[in-house]
Amino acid sequence: TYLQCLRIQPFILSICDSNTDRFKYILHTLVRPTEVDMLRFHLPAYLNFVYYIITPVRKLFFCTARFLKKLIIK
C-alpha cells in the first residue's frame, strides 16, 4: 500500500493512543533520513540538515509515482 511504501506501519498507527501520537510517528517516519539518501547525496557535515528536506520529498515523489503507475497499468 501507499503507507507501506512510505515505510509507515499500519499496525503501529493502530496502537497509537491519540492522533497526536499518530502524527508524530508519521512525521518522524517521513522526515528521518535513510541510508539511501545519505549514500545518494553526499553532503558535508555542516549541510546534514538538508537530508531532512530531501528525504520526505524523495519518499513522497517515489511512492506517488509508483502508486500512479500501478493505477495506470491496471
Side-chain angles (χ1 to χ4, degrees), residues 10-28:
F11 174 73
I12 295 175
L13 284 176
S14 70
I15 63 172
C16 288
D17 292 333
S18 66
N19 286 336
T20 305
D21 292 338
R22 288 182 189 94
F23 177 75
K24 286 179 185 178
Y25 168 69
I26 291 170
L27 186 64
H28 176 74

Side-chain angles (χ1 to χ4, degrees), residues 27-66:
L27 186 64
H28 176 74
T29 305
L30 284 178
V31 174
R32 182 181 56 223
T34 63
E35 288 184 38
V36 171
D37 296 324
M38 293 190 180
L39 291 173
R40 184 176 292 164
F41 308 105
H42 299 284
L43 297 175
Y46 66 90
L47 290 176
N48 278 346
F49 71 92
V50 175
Y51 287 121
Y52 293 93
I53 298 168
I54 293 171
T55 300
V57 170
R58 184 191 63 79
K59 283 181 179 180
L60 290 170
F61 179 77
F62 173 77
C63 292
T64 301
R66 190 174 180 188

Side-chain angles (χ1 to χ4, degrees), residues 1-8 59 62-64 66-67:
T1 66
Y2 191 76
L3 288 178
Q4 290 171 334
C5 181
L6 294 173
R7 303 290 187 231
I8 296 172
K59 283 181 179 180
F62 173 77
C63 292
T64 301
R66 190 174 180 188
F67 184 73

